[in-house]
Amino acid sequence: MERIIDLSNAILIGEGDHKKSYVDPTDSSRCIKILFTTHDVDMERELKYRRSRERRNLPSRLLPAYYGTVETNMGKGYVFERVADFDGKSSRTFQNIFDKADSDKRLIPFVEEMMKKFKQLLFEELIVTSNVESSNFLVQRASETKFSVRIIDNIGSPVFFPLAYYFDFFARRHLQKYWKRFLKELQEDHPAVMTDALKRKLM
């Protein structure tokens, strides 16, 4: 009989419109996501996309690892790599960093480095996402000076038969559209950080 993981005292690390995420009480390097409904379009879309990448043998540095499902006292849980910094704290979102840079312009060089690194990996790996919310992208610190970018949500395409899953040409075209939209939204929300000059560097 499969062991049931008790999340009653587990640390809550995130809550959205569709799910809650807890630190796995049996392994702090993992997190367990609990869906509010048994039929969740976002999760189904993500798992379908991950399966398509596995069939094509495409590893990723941007996507956290997925370990399958477990039974919990709150129902079925989906187990993922927990994106946390070297000090054990949850990694900050792009939204957190842009908000801070609005009031502390010394962070702007880091924002530029972060965005360049993100774009490079995104277009190398051709990761398909269904939106461009900056709260879905995390900066994971491996040390005080080293970091990586991770994507934690809205992974995959809302299209019924997504050609971008199987053909790089369509994945790149999808990304180009979404990247332009992402820069446009960042500039609208953070004009002092995402200046015209920085935007041109990132196009």
Side-chain angles (χ1 to χ4, degrees), residues 8-190:
S8 302
N9 298 312
I11 299 171
L12 178 68
I13 54 175
E15 182 173 358
D17 295 333
H18 305 282
K19 58 184 173 294
K20 289 184 178 182
S21 297
Y22 296 88
V23 176
D24 185 341
T26 68
D27 184 345
S28 62
S29 69
R30 301 183 178 194
C31 67
I32 299 176
K33 296 183 180 183
I34 303 295
L35 306 180
F36 294 155
T37 61
T38 54
H39 175 71
D40 184 89
V41 173
D42 288 345
M43 183 60 73
E44 291 173 0
R45 177 189 302 140
E46 177 174 345
L47 296 182
K48 179 181 178 182
Y49 178 57
R50 286 177 177 273
R51 287 192 295 269
S52 76
R53 290 186 65 87
E54 286 175 6
R55 285 193 293 269
R56 298 178 66 196
N57 194 28
L58 297 175
S60 173
R61 286 173 284 174
L62 287 171
L63 299 182
Y66 172 61
Y67 301 109
T69 60
V70 293
E71 289 301 320
T72 79
N73 62 315
M74 298 181 183
K76 180 185 286 188
Y78 295 80
V79 186
F80 290 85
E81 172 191 354
R82 179 188 170 209
V83 180
D85 293 346
F86 68 96
D87 56 7
K89 295 179 181 178
S90 294
S91 299
R92 291 185 298 169
T93 67
F94 275 30
Q95 184 65 56
N96 298 148
I97 292 168
F98 270 90
D99 286 344
K100 193 168 182 180
D102 282 335
S103 57
D104 186 353
K105 300 303 183 287
R106 292 173 299 177
L107 286 174
I108 290 180
F110 174 76
V111 170
E112 180 174 343
E113 181 187 5
M114 174 186 81
M115 292 294 293
K116 285 180 176 178
K117 188 169 188 176
F118 182 39
K119 182 185 179 183
Q120 178 186 352
L121 269 180
L122 191 64
F123 280 83
E124 278 180 10
E125 297 186 358
L126 297 176
I127 301 296
V128 176
T129 63
S130 58
N131 69 35
V132 288
E133 291 181 16
S134 54
S135 58
N136 294 331
F137 311 132
L138 301 187
V139 174
Q140 184 178 30
R141 294 185 302 147
S143 69
E144 290 290 355
T145 57
K146 295 182 180 180
F147 72 92
S148 56
V149 179
R150 314 301 297 278
I151 303 174
I152 60 165
D153 214 346
N154 293 119
I155 296 163
S157 169
V159 176
F160 177 73
F161 185 75
L163 292 173
Y165 286 15
Y166 309 102
F167 302 99
D168 289 352
F169 170 81
F170 292 102
R172 190 168 289 106
R173 190 167 71 174
H174 172 97
L175 274 178
Q176 288 167 345
K177 180 180 72 172
Y178 274 65
W179 183 254
K180 288 178 182 177
R181 185 188 303 173
F182 185 39
L183 296 182
K184 180 176 181 291
E185 292 183 4
L186 285 174
Q187 188 170 47
E188 290 171 354
D189 294 338
H190 308 278

